[in-house]
Amino acid sequence: MLAGTGFLVMSVDDFVHVRKLRGHGVEVNALVHGVDHGSRGQGAVIVGFTTRKGAQVRARIGFHRWSGEPVYGQTKTLIYDPDDPQGTVMDPDVRFEHIIHVLGGLAAILSFTGGVVVWRKTRPQSAGGDRRGSGGSGDGISPELRTT
């Protein structure tokens, strides 16, 4: 359940972060300087651009924040966070950024459900157990008081 909570917190944080960037991010034309395919799909596109304040920035954008196939030398419109231009950049054409959030939410639900199932299977049984009388009829009348 702890892992599920972690996934949920990370997903909510990322969702809020993306919404904030879409709300106050600055559009800029960026040039693709390279593509790092990385391992296990964790690749990134390396881009360069000039901020509104004239600073030259080189940034890495994960494939999950990039729409389409990146090509060396390509110019593309991106959005960046003016407070963190090197670290917070994304392609505004990405429409399925929520897949990460959905997967995080599903992982949280599955972890929580799995935790509940494991807890129910491993908890000690209560002493009360079966509430039926020793007669086994389930009517709650003790065998001594039963008339036939």
Side-chain angles (χ1 to χ4, degrees):
M1 287 198 303
L2 187 60
T5 302
F7 285 129
L8 186 62
V9 167
M10 289 187 316
S11 295
V12 168
D13 181 61
D14 190 56
F15 179 80
V16 169
H17 194 77
V18 167
R19 285 290 154 215
K20 181 180 171 188
L21 181 59
R22 285 193 183 275
H24 87 277
V26 177
E27 284 196 356
V28 65
N29 286 325
L31 179 66
V32 175
H33 289 282
V35 179
D36 176 10
H37 290 283
S39 63
R40 292 176 272 167
Q42 300 298 320
V45 182
I46 295 92
V47 298
F49 59 91
T50 305
T51 66
R52 271 198 264 179
K53 296 180 179 179
Q56 295 291 317
V57 174
R58 194 170 192 118
R60 293 176 60 88
I61 304 171
F63 285 160
H64 64 287
R65 299 279 190 244
W66 188 273
S67 177
E69 184 68 30
V71 178
Y72 179 80
Q74 169 187 15
T75 301
K76 188 159 187 152
T77 300
L78 303 174
I79 54 176
Y80 71 92
D81 183 347
D83 298 330
D84 184 19
Q86 187 173 10
T88 310
V89 185
M90 73 177 281
D91 184 344
D93 293 334
V94 171
R95 293 291 175 224
F96 294 102
E97 78 270 12
H98 303 300
I99 191 68
I100 294 167
H101 310 129
V102 170
L103 291 176
L106 286 174
I109 290 168
L110 290 174
S111 295
F112 179 77
T113 304
V116 168
V117 167
V118 167
W119 175 75
R120 290 191 68 165
K121 295 262 186 212
T122 59
R123 72 180 173 160
Q125 294 296 320
S126 65
D130 190 4
R131 302 192 87 168
R132 293 182 295 170
S134 60
S137 67
D139 59 7
I141 300 173
S142 71
E144 299 84 37
L145 299 176
R146 188 169 303 163
T147 58
T148 54

